[in-house]
Amino acid sequence: MSLLTRNVTRTRLTPFAPYPGAPVELVEEEYTVTVPRDWDRAVLAGVAVGTGLLLTLAVTWSTASIGGLLALSGVAAVIAYGVAALFDTAWIICMALEWLARHDPRKAKAPRIAGFVALGISMAAIAAEAVTVTGGKRGIAVGIIGAAVSLIAKGVWTLAIRHTAKPLSPIAQQYVARRQAAAGAELALAVVERQLERSRGHLAAYREAYGTTSTAAAGQPHPDPDKPSGQPVRVSGPVRTAVRSSLEATPDAPAEDIDRQPARIGIDTAAAAVRPLSARPSPAVRPLSGQHPDSQDSRPGTVLALAPHAPDDTITDTVRAAVRVIGQDVDAVLSAVRRVHGPDVKRETVRRLVARAAG
C-alpha cells in the first residue's frame, strides 16, 4: 500500500437474480477504491491530540506544585489541590474562548489578554513553590523549568489556534459580522418570545386563581370608544321577547316604562341592555323652540328614534343611519343618537361623525 494513497471499502446497490427468470432484487455489494491520503487532516489530528496531552501534563504539574505550596498554610490537602487546579484551568478556558472567537479578532482580543494574565499568575505560583520547598539555586532552576511547562502548553495551543483561524479580508470580516449579528438578533428574539410566553402563562394562572374578570385584566381588547360604557353586545332571548311584547301591547308607553318591563316579569337585566331594543321607528323631529339642543324630549310624539337597529351598533353606525334619515343637522342627529346610546354621547363626537358621513 502506497504512503500517498489508501484503500477504502464502500458499498453500492447491484441488481441480482439467483436464476434466469427470477425476480431481480437490488442487493448491497462491497467494493474497494483507492483514494489519496489526506495528510493535512492526519497531521492536524495529531496536533490536536498532542496539544491535549500537553495541557493534561501542564495542569497536572501546575496542580501538584501550587497545591503543595497552598498546603503549607495548613489548609486541607483536598481544598489546596482543588484550588490549585484553578490556576491553569483559567487560562485554558480563556484559550477556548479565543478559539471560539477566531473569526472575530476584536472579540478574541479580550480572552487572549486574560489568558496571558492567568498564565503569568500560574507560572509565578509554580516558581514560588519550587523556591520555597527546594530553596537556593536549585529551587530557582526547578521553578523556572516547572513554570515553562505551562508556557509551552499555551504556546503550542496558540500556534494551533492561529493555524485554524484563517485570516479574513476586511470585506469578508464585515460580511461575517453582519451574519453573526443577524443570527444573534434571531436568538435574542427567541429568548424574548420564550420569556413572554412564560409571563403569559403566569398571568393566566394568576387570573384563574384570583378570578380576575375585568376586560383589561382578561386580555380582551379595550371597548370601542364609540360604544357607550356598559352596553352589552348580546341580549338574551327572554329580554327580547319581553320588550317586543311590551312594544306591541303599549305602543304609546314611555321608553322608561319599556326599559323596566323585563324587571317586572322577573328578568334581572340592566336598563342599558334593554334601551337599544326599546327604540321605536319614528320620523326625526327637530328640537322644540326654546329647547336646548342637547336635551331630550321624552314625549312619545317628539322622541327622536331611528329605524330598528342591532343592539351592538356603534355610535358611528347610528350616526350614519341618522344622517340617511334626518340629514346633516347635528342637533337633530345628536338627539337621535342619544335616544339610542344614552345622554353621555358628546356633541363634538357626533359633529365629527356627521362630517365624516357627509364627506
Short mmCIF file of all heavy atoms in Angstrom, two decimals, residues 281-304:
data_model
loop_
_atom_site.label_atom_id
_atom_site.label_comp_id
_atom_site.label_asym_id
_atom_site.label_seq_id
_atom_site.Cartn_x
_atom_site.Cartn_y
_atom_site.Cartn_z
N PRO A 281 -89.28 53.05 15.68
CA PRO A 281 -89.09 53.82 14.45
C PRO A 281 -90.09 54.96 14.38
O PRO A 281 -91.29 54.75 14.54
CB PRO A 281 -89.33 52.78 13.35
CG PRO A 281 -90.22 51.76 13.97
CD PRO A 281 -89.86 51.70 15.41
N SER A 282 -89.61 56.14 14.18
CA SER A 282 -90.48 57.30 14.02
C SER A 282 -89.71 58.35 13.27
O SER A 282 -88.49 58.38 13.30
CB SER A 282 -90.93 57.85 15.37
OG SER A 282 -89.83 58.31 16.11
N PRO A 283 -90.38 59.27 12.62
CA PRO A 283 -89.69 60.31 11.86
C PRO A 283 -88.93 61.23 12.79
O PRO A 283 -89.32 61.46 13.93
CB PRO A 283 -90.82 61.06 11.14
CG PRO A 283 -92.04 60.79 11.97
CD PRO A 283 -91.88 59.41 12.51
N ALA A 284 -87.81 61.72 12.27
CA ALA A 284 -86.99 62.61 13.09
C ALA A 284 -87.68 63.94 13.28
O ALA A 284 -88.28 64.48 12.35
CB ALA A 284 -85.65 62.83 12.41
N VAL A 285 -87.63 64.47 14.46
CA VAL A 285 -88.26 65.75 14.79
C VAL A 285 -87.18 66.65 15.34
O VAL A 285 -86.40 66.25 16.19
CB VAL A 285 -89.39 65.56 15.82
CG1 VAL A 285 -90.02 66.91 16.14
CG2 VAL A 285 -90.42 64.60 15.31
N ARG A 286 -87.12 67.86 14.90
CA ARG A 286 -86.12 68.78 15.39
C ARG A 286 -86.49 69.24 16.79
O ARG A 286 -87.64 69.19 17.20
CB ARG A 286 -86.01 70.00 14.47
CG ARG A 286 -85.57 69.63 13.08
CD ARG A 286 -85.49 70.88 12.20
NE ARG A 286 -85.13 70.49 10.85
CZ ARG A 286 -83.88 70.32 10.44
NH1 ARG A 286 -82.91 70.50 11.29
NH2 ARG A 286 -83.63 69.96 9.20
N PRO A 287 -85.53 69.70 17.57
CA PRO A 287 -85.83 70.16 18.92
C PRO A 287 -86.86 71.27 18.90
O PRO A 287 -86.90 72.09 17.96
CB PRO A 287 -84.47 70.65 19.45
CG PRO A 287 -83.48 69.91 18.61
CD PRO A 287 -84.12 69.76 17.27
N LEU A 288 -87.72 71.29 19.93
CA LEU A 288 -88.75 72.32 20.02
C LEU A 288 -88.12 73.68 20.22
O LEU A 288 -87.00 73.82 20.69
CB LEU A 288 -89.69 71.99 21.19
CG LEU A 288 -90.44 70.65 21.08
CD1 LEU A 288 -91.28 70.43 22.32
CD2 LEU A 288 -91.30 70.61 19.83
N SER A 289 -88.87 74.71 19.89
CA SER A 289 -88.39 76.07 20.03
C SER A 289 -88.12 76.36 21.50
O SER A 289 -88.97 76.09 22.36
CB SER A 289 -89.43 77.05 19.47
OG SER A 289 -89.03 78.37 19.70
N GLY A 290 -86.96 76.89 21.78
CA GLY A 290 -86.58 77.20 23.14
C GLY A 290 -85.99 76.05 23.90
O GLY A 290 -85.58 76.22 25.04
N GLN A 291 -86.00 74.89 23.30
CA GLN A 291 -85.43 73.72 23.98
C GLN A 291 -83.95 73.64 23.66
O GLN A 291 -83.54 73.87 22.54
CB GLN A 291 -86.14 72.45 23.51
CG GLN A 291 -85.64 71.19 24.17
CD GLN A 291 -86.35 69.96 23.65
OE1 GLN A 291 -87.09 70.06 22.68
NE2 GLN A 291 -86.13 68.84 24.30
N HIS A 292 -83.16 73.29 24.67
CA HIS A 292 -81.72 73.18 24.46
C HIS A 292 -81.44 72.04 23.49
O HIS A 292 -82.05 70.98 23.58
CB HIS A 292 -81.01 72.91 25.79
CG HIS A 292 -79.54 73.06 25.69
ND1 HIS A 292 -78.72 72.06 25.27
CD2 HIS A 292 -78.74 74.14 25.97
CE1 HIS A 292 -77.47 72.48 25.28
NE2 HIS A 292 -77.46 73.73 25.70
N PRO A 293 -80.52 72.25 22.52
CA PRO A 293 -80.28 71.20 21.52
C PRO A 293 -79.83 69.90 22.13
O PRO A 293 -80.07 68.84 21.57
CB PRO A 293 -79.18 71.82 20.64
CG PRO A 293 -79.27 73.28 20.88
CD PRO A 293 -79.74 73.46 22.27
N ASP A 294 -79.13 69.93 23.29
CA ASP A 294 -78.60 68.70 23.87
C ASP A 294 -79.61 67.98 24.74
O ASP A 294 -79.33 66.91 25.25
CB ASP A 294 -77.35 68.99 24.71
CG ASP A 294 -76.21 69.46 23.82
OD1 ASP A 294 -76.33 69.28 22.60
OD2 ASP A 294 -75.23 69.99 24.37
N SER A 295 -80.78 68.58 24.98
CA SER A 295 -81.77 67.93 25.83
C SER A 295 -82.60 66.96 25.02
O SER A 295 -82.69 67.05 23.80
CB SER A 295 -82.67 68.98 26.48
OG SER A 295 -83.43 69.65 25.49
N GLN A 296 -83.30 66.04 25.69
CA GLN A 296 -84.13 65.05 25.03
C GLN A 296 -85.58 65.23 25.50
O GLN A 296 -85.84 65.36 26.68
CB GLN A 296 -83.67 63.64 25.35
CG GLN A 296 -82.26 63.35 24.87
CD GLN A 296 -81.91 61.91 25.13
OE1 GLN A 296 -82.75 61.04 25.09
NE2 GLN A 296 -80.66 61.67 25.40
N ASP A 297 -86.51 65.21 24.56
CA ASP A 297 -87.91 65.27 24.87
C ASP A 297 -88.43 63.86 25.00
O ASP A 297 -88.34 63.08 24.06
CB ASP A 297 -88.66 66.02 23.76
CG ASP A 297 -90.09 66.33 24.17
OD1 ASP A 297 -90.58 65.77 25.18
OD2 ASP A 297 -90.72 67.10 23.45
N SER A 298 -88.97 63.50 26.16
CA SER A 298 -89.38 62.13 26.39
C SER A 298 -90.81 61.85 25.95
O SER A 298 -91.30 60.74 26.10
CB SER A 298 -89.24 61.79 27.88
OG SER A 298 -90.06 62.64 28.65
N ARG A 299 -91.54 62.86 25.41
CA ARG A 299 -92.89 62.59 24.96
C ARG A 299 -92.87 61.70 23.73
O ARG A 299 -92.06 61.89 22.84
CB ARG A 299 -93.58 63.92 24.65
CG ARG A 299 -93.87 64.75 25.91
CD ARG A 299 -94.48 66.08 25.55
NE ARG A 299 -93.54 66.88 24.78
CZ ARG A 299 -93.85 68.06 24.24
NH1 ARG A 299 -95.06 68.55 24.37
NH2 ARG A 299 -92.95 68.74 23.57
N PRO A 300 -93.82 60.74 23.66
CA PRO A 300 -93.77 59.79 22.55
C PRO A 300 -93.83 60.45 21.20
O PRO A 300 -93.21 59.98 20.25
CB PRO A 300 -95.00 58.90 22.81
CG PRO A 300 -95.27 59.04 24.28
CD PRO A 300 -94.88 60.43 24.63
N GLY A 301 -94.57 61.56 21.05
CA GLY A 301 -94.71 62.16 19.74
C GLY A 301 -93.47 62.88 19.28
O GLY A 301 -93.32 63.15 18.08
N THR A 302 -92.58 63.24 20.18
CA THR A 302 -91.40 64.01 19.80
C THR A 302 -90.11 63.28 20.09
O THR A 302 -89.04 63.87 20.02
CB THR A 302 -91.39 65.35 20.54
OG1 THR A 302 -91.39 65.09 21.93
CG2 THR A 302 -92.59 66.19 20.17
N VAL A 303 -90.17 61.99 20.45
CA VAL A 303 -88.94 61.22 20.70
C VAL A 303 -88.22 61.01 19.38
O VAL A 303 -88.82 60.58 18.40
CB VAL A 303 -89.27 59.88 21.36
CG1 VAL A 303 -88.03 58.99 21.37
CG2 VAL A 303 -89.75 60.12 22.79
N LEU A 304 -86.94 61.30 19.38
CA LEU A 304 -86.13 61.13 18.18
C LEU A 304 -85.56 59.73 18.19
O LEU A 304 -84.69 59.42 18.97
CB LEU A 304 -85.01 62.17 18.15
CG LEU A 304 -85.47 63.62 18.09
CD1 LEU A 304 -84.29 64.55 18.18
CD2 LEU A 304 -86.25 63.88 16.82
#
